[in-house]
Amino acid sequence: MKLTKQFIFKSKILILGAFLAACQSEVASQKNQLWYDEPASEWFEALPLGNGRLGAMVFGGVSEDHLQLNEESLWAGMPENPYPGEVGKHYATFQQLNLDGQYEEAYTYAMEHMAISPTSIRSYEPLGDLFVQFDHKVVPEAYRRFLDIEKGINSTEYTIDDKQFLRESFISSEHDVIVYHFESLDNEKISCRVRFNREKDIAINSLSNNILEIDGQIFDDPVGYDDNKGGSGQGGYHMKFNSHLSFSNHDGKVSIDNSVLIIDGATEFTLVLSAATDYNLEKMNFDRSIDAKEISLRKLKKVQEVPYDQLKSNHIATHSEIFNRVELEIDGAFLDSLTIDERIGRLKEGNEDPGLVSLFFQYGRYLMMSSGMQQAVLPANLQGIWNEDMWAPWESDFHLNINLQMNYWPVEVCNLSESVVPLTNYMEGLVERGRVTAKKYIGSDGWMVHHSTNPFGRVTPSGSTETSQVVNGYSYPLAGAWMSLTIWRHYQFTKDLNYLQEKAYPMIKGASQFILDFLKGNEKGELVTAPSYSPENTYIDPKTGKRQLNTTAATMDIQIIRDVFQACLESEEALGFNQLTPAIQVALTKLPDTKIGSNGTIQEWYKDYEEVELGHRHISHLYGLYPSSQISKETPELFAAAERTIERRLSQGGGQTGWSRAWIVNFYARLRNGDKCLEHLNALIGDQLESNLFDLHPPRIFQIDGNFGGTAGVAEMLIQSHESGKVSLLPALPSSWKNGKVKGLKARRNFEFDFEWKEGKVTYVKISSPSGGEVEMLSGEESLVINLQAGEAKTVEFK
């Protein structure tokens, strides 16, 4: 039965007051809750749960609840890295044509000699759907559902005929299973039917002890639908997967009828669902030596006899320990009694809601905890871990021309450094395969990865068509080098020398070696990239008057190279090596400078070309402002030009995607303009999020990068540590955020900060560091130099 608003009990006072008190549920502080007064009617209203490996979207229906399920490694396809014949010869010609400025000829040549099928990859797929049907005959008098991101628990509370009911669901990191609990608080007995559904590729069996077993294997139909015109890869039987489902902790009668799990006469029960695939990260492939069925069943049986209260309390302890590392409070009107929909509506009308900004910030941390930490083996993908489509937009891939990088912008500063571990492990597999590509393409001993990849380690150019494969793939060989800077940043924040030596430095060194071999001398004696492009923007080639993407030495390329080279220099200095330092020092002197164009903005390409899309979503030439720090107050002309660049983009309709808007927040944070930061945060939250606070790409596609980029933007407004040896507190505070406090933000060189502010001025700071050291702390016009011993904490009060 569809629940509509007209049936919902209208009194929020009752819902939030007497009803909740009577339910005796453990409602945490509402500042960390997303809450609603009706069930989700579609996926974009459902609420996400995750433990890094398993994900669920909970709808909260009364007569029938729905959990849409994911497992992080469940991908269609298989490992494929296609190489054209004589690729080294053809790539050299492609390079030279670009270097000679023959861009149209270069593109035509690549289309003829280098475009190769499959141009693209197959998609991340959902595990399935769980439906829980109750024998409720009437609609509730009162209803409330909420996601407590501090505890990692989704709850639904409702009253029918004065009888109160509670449902709770979470995904246990300890036991690696999905847990769904029902309780009748007035001992009203109910009956329930549970079924599992998936569009294809499964068989459902019943086992002894009333366990449902879902046995699956992805079949990629070689003559079936393909979302990419250039092909997505070989068909056939690929990834194997399994799931198991059973009741536990119940007081009713359990049975199975035609693959439906049934419970009769229960006042309380717990559903447990496990899942596994035969994916092997070390092989970047499915592995038939892995028994997904055995793994899934073992996980289910291990948890079946654990009391629900113990499952729940252990989950909360694990989850909240990570979540509560960081706290943020900004003084303002208390609006937690309003639903998220109502608060977004108020924001659209121009009303301030600093509490909603804080919630959005913490929600980004929650999403990373749930999709990229804990049990995660793979990084958070384009949708984190949550996807309902058999063929997701852009395959829900790992997109390396900003999207995966943006996913990890907030993790260090927001005290979630462990999330870099799965990313690092995954990147090591890409590096191994990228060495083959670098050798085949240019004979380099380094490594290269292009702009789109998957769990099977696609490192060769990928695109939805042959054209996309050439202009977005072949023309952007620095995607992997940019990604390696996320690994480097982990060392900058943690100062973990073992990690540097064993993980970060090998990647940075390999990226640097590739770049040294890839750079070409131009007629001015400069070292430039060829091919190159500025993701994913188009210019007018003055020679032909036509639109073009491939070019030479796009500004972003050179800025990325400077950062990779600097990371390698600092790594070798820290480790006492001198392997690439001499060559890098020479190369740095020959790189082109970042230029200012005739219109006073940062020049996007090597030459001052005419842009086709003045409001393009990518603002790649401002990489040097953020996430890099090459453009700063120390380069005043570039600093001013960067601001003009943003203004020009926005005046032409820029920021139209959620992730692009989030990037703009970070830009303005680096420009020290807090009011502009807040303006674009409000635009992001008010106009570019769904009601469950998922970030959108037009027309209505979920991309999680905007959530993560927005969280990074809030952190960047509060603390910045990119200037050598300095930490700035409140560098971009909006004028309306007069009073507040924050706890647990991290700075480079392994410092942690708690601080408070009043009337826009820092009043109190606690600084600690596991490794110790000296740091200069900046607050407004004040500067303090603090020395800490390893493990020491100091408190400072400002005037």
Side-chain angles (χ1 to χ4, degrees):
M1 179 172 54
K2 173 73 172 177
L3 183 66
T4 59
K5 287 185 178 179
Q6 65 187 15
F7 293 113
I8 295 170
F9 190 73
K10 300 300 182 181
S11 173
K12 291 186 175 65
I13 296 175
L14 178 59
I15 293 174
L16 295 172
F19 171 66
L20 292 183
C23 285
Q24 297 178 350
S25 60
E26 298 176 4
V27 179
S29 170
Q30 291 179 4
K31 71 177 183 179
N32 288 322
Q33 288 183 9
L34 287 70
W35 82 270
Y36 307 82
D37 58 9
E38 59 181 339
S41 61
E42 59 172 341
W43 192 84
F44 280 111
E45 295 174 357
L47 296 172
L49 296 171
N51 72 346
R53 194 183 69 84
L54 297 173
M57 297 290 288
V58 186
F59 285 66
V62 175
S63 294
E64 183 175 75
D65 208 347
H66 176 198
L67 281 74
Q68 185 269 312
L69 309 172
N70 288 98
E71 200 280 348
E72 64 166 350
S73 64
L74 189 56
W75 281 70
M78 60 178 288
E80 291 181 279
N81 274 303
Y83 292 96
E86 299 185 286
V87 65
K89 168 189 168 183
H90 293 309
Y91 195 80
T93 302
F94 181 52
Q95 283 190 284
Q96 191 61 47
L97 287 169
N98 278 286
L99 190 64
D100 292 341
Q102 304 298 313
Y103 301 126
E104 185 177 13
E105 291 84 350
Y107 164 75
T108 301
Y109 185 89
M111 289 290 291
E112 181 178 352
H113 297 284
M114 295 161 62
I116 183 171
S117 183
T119 65
S120 191
I121 59 177
R122 294 187 183 269
S123 180
Y124 178 49
E125 292 189 354
L127 174 65
D129 296 272
L130 186 67
F131 295 96
V132 187
Q133 185 177 3
F134 295 86
D135 64 351
H136 297 313
K137 304 301 182 185
V138 297
V139 298
E141 298 109 28
Y143 178 94
R144 184 178 188 268
R145 67 182 173 101
F146 61 95
L147 173 64
D148 188 327
I149 61 175
E150 182 177 340
K151 293 182 176 180
I153 292 182
N154 181 92
S155 301
T156 302
E157 301 168 328
Y158 56 98
T159 298
I160 294 178
D161 293 334
D162 294 325
K163 305 295 184 182
Q164 299 160 357
F165 302 92
L166 170 66
R167 305 176 197 167
E168 295 177 322
S169 49
F170 58 88
I171 304 184
S172 168
S173 177
E174 177 186 10
H175 294 285
D176 200 17
V177 294
I178 298 172
V179 179
Y180 181 97
H181 184 74
F182 167 85
E183 185 177 359
S184 171
L185 301 180
D186 293 309
N187 295 317
E188 183 78 3
K189 293 184 178 182
I190 60 95
S191 294
C192 177
R193 299 169 62 87
V194 182
R195 72 185 191 278
F196 186 99
N197 185 57
R198 193 176 193 270
E199 183 179 317
K200 64 186 186 73
D201 300 338
I202 63 168
I204 301 179
N205 307 301
S206 58
L207 306 182
S208 60
N209 299 320
N210 295 309
I211 296 173
L212 284 184
E213 179 177 84
I214 296 89
D215 192 14
Q217 183 173 15
I218 292 177
F219 175 67
D220 294 319
D221 190 343
V223 295
Y225 173 78
D226 194 321
D227 204 50
N228 299 301
K229 294 181 181 179
S232 301
Q234 181 177 328
Y237 287 95
H238 293 147
M239 183 90 68
K240 289 185 177 181
F241 61 97
N242 281 86
S243 184
H244 291 85
L245 174 67
S246 181
F247 285 113
S248 67
N249 299 301
H250 61 84
D251 59 0
K253 180 181 178 182
V254 177
S255 60
I256 295 179
D257 180 19
N258 194 26
S259 300
V260 176
L261 198 59
I262 300 170
I263 190 165
D264 286 317
T267 63
E268 183 175 8
F269 66 80
T270 303
L271 275 172
V272 179
L273 183 139
S274 59
T277 75
D278 65 353
Y279 177 73
N280 185 334
L281 177 64
E282 290 186 4
K283 295 184 176 182
M284 283 194 151
N285 196 359
F286 37 83
D287 181 351
R288 298 306 183 225
S289 71
I290 295 174
D291 188 341
K293 182 182 298 186
E294 187 277 331
I295 294 170
S296 175
L297 185 57
R298 172 165 39 87
K299 288 183 178 183
L300 180 83
K301 288 185 173 180
K302 185 177 179 180
V303 78
Q304 272 188 304
E305 301 305 318
V306 180
Y308 174 71
D309 288 343
Q310 181 180 333
L311 283 174
K312 178 182 173 182
S313 61
N314 289 355
H315 164 75
I316 291 174
T318 300
H319 180 94
S320 61
E321 184 280 323
I322 302 171
F323 183 89
N324 288 330
R325 293 174 188 173
V326 172
E327 298 176 7
L328 174 61
E329 293 183 16
I330 306 166
D331 284 2
F334 184 83
L335 300 173
D336 296 348
S337 60
L338 302 179
T339 67
I340 294 297
D341 297 318
E342 291 170 319
R343 295 177 75 173
I344 290 175
R346 290 184 75 261
L347 205 63
K348 286 182 178 180
E349 295 170 356
N351 298 292
E352 292 293 313
D353 190 346
L356 185 56
V357 174
S358 296
L359 179 62
F360 169 75
F361 165 79
Q362 291 283 34
Y363 189 52
R365 295 182 66 248
Y366 168 85
L367 293 175
M368 177 53 71
M369 289 175 59
S370 303
S371 63
M373 287 179 65
Q374 303 182 91
Q375 289 286 340
V377 173
L378 291 166
N381 65 41
L382 204 59
Q383 296 180 231
I385 197 174
W386 302 279
N387 164 47
E388 66 171 339
D389 299 311
M390 281 295 178
W391 206 304
W394 299 288
E395 291 70 55
S396 197
D397 66 5
F398 303 115
H399 228 68
L400 307 185
N401 67 4
I402 189 173
N403 311 93
L404 187 61
Q405 288 91 341
M406 184 179 285
N407 280 6
Y408 287 84
W409 284 355
V411 297
E412 304 292 351
V413 66
C414 291
N415 222 327
L416 299 174
S417 287
E418 298 96 321
S419 61
V420 180
V421 174
L423 175 67
T424 303
N425 295 337
Y426 172 73
M427 285 288 295
E428 287 182 318
L430 289 187
V431 168
E432 180 182 338
R433 287 150 185 79
R435 291 188 190 282
V436 177
T437 309
K439 180 65 73 174
K440 285 179 176 287
Y441 278 25
I442 64 170
S444 175
D445 289 331
W447 63 275
M448 66 187 302
V449 174
H450 293 83
H451 91 294
S452 177
T453 186
N454 62 0
F456 301 119
R458 176 76 177 244
V459 294
T460 56
S462 178
S464 56
T465 62
E466 289 186 350
T467 294
S468 177
Q469 185 184 43
V470 168
V471 295
N472 293 315
Y474 278 108
S475 298
Y476 195 55
L478 290 183
W482 183 7
M483 200 65 230
S484 71
L485 291 169
T486 303
I487 308 304
W488 165 247
R489 189 165 59 242
H490 182 66
Y491 167 71
Q492 288 182 300
F493 273 83
T494 64
K495 304 305 288 185
D496 184 339
L497 275 173
N498 287 332
Y499 178 85
L500 176 64
Q501 182 164 350
E502 296 173 9
K503 304 290 184 180
Y505 173 65
M507 287 189 203
I508 292 291
K509 179 187 175 185
S512 298
Q513 184 64 66
F514 165 73
I515 292 168
L516 287 168
D517 295 334
F518 177 70
L519 288 169
K520 298 286 187 181
N522 66 8
E523 69 280 358
K524 295 182 179 180
E526 298 169 317
L527 291 176
V528 297
T529 54
S532 174
Y533 97 142
S534 188
E536 298 162 354
N537 205 3
T538 310
Y539 66 94
I540 300 296
D541 185 346
K543 289 184 179 180
T544 64
K546 297 179 180 179
R547 299 182 177 195
Q548 206 73 40
L549 281 101
N550 59 291
T551 185
T552 302
T555 297
M556 181 188 227
D557 271 8
I558 306 304
Q559 293 174 344
I560 288 172
I561 289 170
R562 288 187 186 279
D563 278 355
V564 173
F565 279 173
Q566 187 61 37
C568 194
L569 291 176
E570 292 183 30
S571 296
E572 294 202 345
E573 181 180 8
L575 296 172
F577 298 158
N578 195 38
Q579 298 179 17
L580 294 185
T581 293
I584 287 174
Q585 289 174 334
V586 172
L588 279 170
T589 67
K590 298 182 179 182
L591 294 176
D593 294 327
T594 298
K595 306 181 184 78
I596 297 174
S598 58
N599 58 17
T601 68
I602 299 294
Q603 194 168 296
E604 187 163 359
W605 294 276
Y606 181 77
K607 294 183 179 180
D608 199 4
Y609 293 132
E610 176 187 350
E611 289 179 81
V612 175
E613 297 179 59
L614 300 182
H616 198 272
R617 60 195 174 277
H618 284 264
I619 317 177
S620 302
H621 42 318
L622 291 192
Y623 165 90
L625 179 65
Y626 185 93
S628 180
S629 57
Q630 295 172 39
I631 299 173
S632 69
K633 293 183 296 181
E634 304 303 315
T635 58
E637 292 183 356
L638 293 177
F639 201 62
E643 185 166 17
R644 287 192 291 270
T645 304
I646 302 167
E647 291 169 351
R648 185 168 185 264
R649 271 286 203 270
L650 291 171
S651 71
Q652 300 296 323
Q656 67 268 43
T657 68
W659 64 260
S660 182
R661 182 77 64 181
W663 200 1
I664 289 168
V665 174
N666 286 277
F667 286 150
Y668 274 120
R670 286 289 174 89
L671 292 171
R672 307 296 181 100
N673 192 332
D675 287 336
K676 281 291 186 181
C677 289
L678 183 57
E679 175 188 331
H680 290 282
L681 266 175
N682 287 343
L684 173 62
I685 298 170
D687 300 325
Q688 293 170 296
L689 302 183
E690 280 291 346
S691 65
N692 64 359
L693 300 188
F694 272 2
D695 167 68
L696 289 178
H697 185 294
R700 199 183 183 211
I701 298 168
F702 171 42
Q703 276 192 207
I704 203 167
D705 40 22
N707 288 101
F708 293 142
T711 290
V714 174
E716 201 71 17
M717 295 161 68
L718 299 172
I719 188 170
Q720 295 181 16
S721 61
H722 55 279
E723 296 176 317
S724 180
K726 299 178 181 179
V727 176
S728 295
L729 305 182
L730 304 183
L733 188 73
S735 56
S736 61
W737 290 6
K738 296 187 181 300
N739 305 315
K741 60 182 178 180
V742 66
K743 167 196 167 186
L745 294 182
K746 300 293 292 289
R748 287 166 179 81
R749 300 190 302 122
N750 206 16
F751 293 99
E752 183 170 325
F753 286 83
D754 308 345
F755 56 92
E756 299 179 7
W757 69 93
K758 293 183 179 179
E759 297 300 322
K761 304 293 183 182
V762 175
T763 58
Y764 162 91
V765 181
K766 178 183 176 183
I767 178 172
S768 59
S769 173
S771 51
E774 180 180 282
V775 61
E776 183 179 1
M777 188 166 53
L778 307 175
S779 175
E781 301 300 319
E782 293 191 67
S783 172
L784 290 174
V785 176
I786 306 294
N787 280 285
L788 293 178
Q789 299 298 315
E792 185 182 11
K794 287 186 178 180
T795 299
V796 177
E797 292 187 2
F798 285 85
K799 297 179 181 179

